[in-house]
Amino acid sequence: MTSPSMTNSLMDRLILPGAAGFTRFGYAWRKRGWTADNFSMEGRTVIVTGATSGLGLSAARSLAKLGARVVLVGRNPEKGERARQDVIAGSGNEDVSLQLADLGLMSEVRDLAARLLESEKAIHVLVNNAAVLPAERSETDEGLEHTFATDLLSPYLLTELLLPRLKACAPSRIVNVLSGGMYLSGLEVDDLEYENGDFDGSRAYARAKRALMVLTEQWAEELEGSGVVVNAMHPGWADTPGVEDSLPGFYRLMRPLLRSPEQGADTIAWLAAAPSAAETSGRFYLDREPHVTTVLPGTAGTARQRARLRAALEAYADRSAT
Ligand SMILES: NC(=O)c1ccc[n+]([C@@H]2O[C@H](COP(=O)([O-])OP(=O)(O)OC[C@H]3O[C@@H](n4cnc5c(N)ncnc54)[C@H](OP(=O)(O)O)[C@@H]3O)[C@@H](O)[C@H]2O)c1
């Protein structure tokens, strides 16, 4: 497995230079070392969640351009259809379809998975990209805290439900879209739904992303030898509707430094498509390079906490089936 380079490890651990790498300048700096892409996704089917906006839309466009059949997952029919037309127009590839699901609701995640298994005889790539960062604590109609449901339980459940098809279609890939905010959070397993203490949206989001990193590592271990690789990525700081709506202060301050959605989504498409990206699993990427997963001691969680996280998610998923 490719490990983070010495330089990346050091930069990640020095918080300020590490964060500077999240800007468009970080992207431009790292891009200098890339060779021209000459890979193809012809004959591959990719599912992209959160494909109606920002990074998901951009990744879907890039993957369609590479020749993939792309299935966009969105929750709003009009926005979804607009995204589908945008991807077709931007890629020249008409093999783009739309599936509707509110991913905050596990009943809809289950229904989505059943429809995908029915409509897509082959699934080669799943991109778990959809996420929210609400300022206030709120619960879904199923009674789950929104951030936990959308950012963690939903990708967990969708991945588990699609795994048999991904294995059957191996070589295949899972790409989990995380965030540098994960670096600031430890693994929280006792209060997954943030029921205790004053709710902090950024913290709830960072906890969910940290947990999704742990899942990425667990899946990578379990799937070793199966032909399915699972990697996570951080897009850097990109100018998307999500950042503008959820972090208005940060957005105003940082706007001149933000990456374009295409720059932020580049590593999503690269992890989904590049032959060399299939050689690693369980890693965390920024700008096509693996990076450390922790910069603060203790944030990866103990073996016991990691096992408890998995058991808790399994229990939530089981409850959602009844
Ligand atoms: N942009 C950045 O700088 C940045 C930095 C770090 C990490 N990220 C990560 O990158 C990913 C994409 O973020 P973005 O910046 O592109 O945000 P965005 O513009 O808000 O896009 C988020 C997407 O998720 C979808 N979504 C949210 N809740 C959903 C639900 N309940 N059901 C179905 N779809 C749902 C949204 O659908 P609607 O269009 O219907 O709202 C939208 O398509 C996220 O995982 C985010 O955590 C982004």
Side-chain angles (χ1 to χ4, degrees):
M1 280 194 208
T2 310
S3 301
S5 67
M6 284 283 282
T7 318
N8 278 343
S9 299
L10 186 65
M11 293 280 279
D12 292 338
R13 289 191 166 90
L14 300 169
I15 305 266
L16 277 179
F22 301 168
T23 67
R24 64 193 176 89
F25 297 108
Y27 176 84
W29 173 260
R30 295 210 183 83
K31 190 174 188 244
R32 293 169 320 137
W34 301 346
T35 50
D37 297 339
N38 60 355
F39 32 84
S40 160
M41 289 291 280
E42 293 284 345
R44 314 282 288 164
T45 297
V46 182
I47 316 291
V48 183
T49 71
T52 50
S53 169
L55 305 179
L57 178 60
S58 180
R61 214 183 285 121
S62 302
L63 291 162
K65 247 188 220 168
L66 292 172
R69 163 168 172 72
V70 182
V71 182
L72 315 177
V73 178
R75 58 181 159 177
N76 173 310
E78 289 79 35
K79 209 171 168 184
E81 186 49 30
R82 270 204 305 279
R84 197 178 78 84
Q85 293 303 337
D86 175 314
V87 172
I88 291 173
S91 65
N93 178 349
E94 302 227 330
D95 199 2
V96 181
S97 74
L98 170 68
Q99 288 283 356
L100 295 173
D102 181 338
L103 298 172
L105 299 174
M106 295 316 116
S107 52
E108 297 211 8
V109 174
R110 287 185 176 279
D111 193 50
L112 167 71
R115 278 182 280 128
L116 288 170
L117 292 172
E118 180 62 30
S119 65
E120 309 305 322
K121 294 304 164 218
I123 300 178
H124 302 101
V125 181
L126 169 63
V127 179
N128 287 311
N129 164 76
V132 289
L133 194 172
E136 307 291 335
R137 189 181 186 285
S138 63
E139 293 184 359
T140 67
D141 290 349
E142 293 176 340
L144 298 176
E145 190 277 312
H146 255 114
T147 323
F148 164 71
T150 313
D151 300 7
L152 179 58
L153 187 56
S154 157
Y156 167 74
L157 182 58
L158 186 61
T159 303
E160 289 288 336
L161 293 172
L162 297 184
L163 255 181
R165 183 64 50 84
L166 285 156
K167 282 183 192 163
C169 299
S172 51
R173 307 176 187 199
I174 299 164
V175 181
N176 293 324
V177 180
L178 305 189
S179 161
M182 169 191 90
Y183 281 135
L184 302 175
S185 178
L187 181 61
E188 170 57 60
V189 282
D190 293 317
D191 190 17
L192 284 169
E193 293 192 62
Y194 223 125
E195 288 165 301
N196 304 314
D198 292 338
F199 183 80
D200 177 329
S202 296
R203 193 173 290 170
Y205 170 86
R207 286 178 179 181
K209 297 293 188 183
R210 163 62 65 198
L212 194 50
M213 184 66 235
V214 171
L215 278 178
T216 303
E217 291 166 334
Q218 290 174 335
W219 277 322
E221 220 174 287
E222 291 159 17
L223 292 167
E224 202 174 334
S226 70
V228 186
V229 296
V230 194
N231 286 295
M233 63 79 69
H234 169 33
W237 293 328
D239 188 343
T240 64
V243 171
E244 186 174 5
D245 295 346
S246 306
L247 300 168
F250 172 84
Y251 182 77
R252 271 194 306 276
L253 187 71
M254 297 298 289
R255 195 171 179 193
L257 300 178
L258 297 181
R259 299 163 173 223
S260 67
E262 290 68 33
Q263 293 170 339
D266 173 82
T267 296
I268 302 177
W270 182 82
L271 281 171
S276 56
E279 290 163 17
T280 66
S281 197
R283 295 285 179 200
F284 180 55
Y285 280 82
L286 170 68
D287 293 333
R288 305 186 178 195
E289 288 177 15
H291 285 254
V292 300
T293 56
T294 56
V295 296
L296 301 174
T299 42
T302 62
R304 196 172 124 71
Q305 285 172 320
R306 292 161 76 92
R308 282 177 55 218
L309 168 73
R310 193 56 181 274
L313 293 176
E314 265 169 38
Y316 271 106
D318 287 350
R319 277 202 293 281
S320 76
T322 53

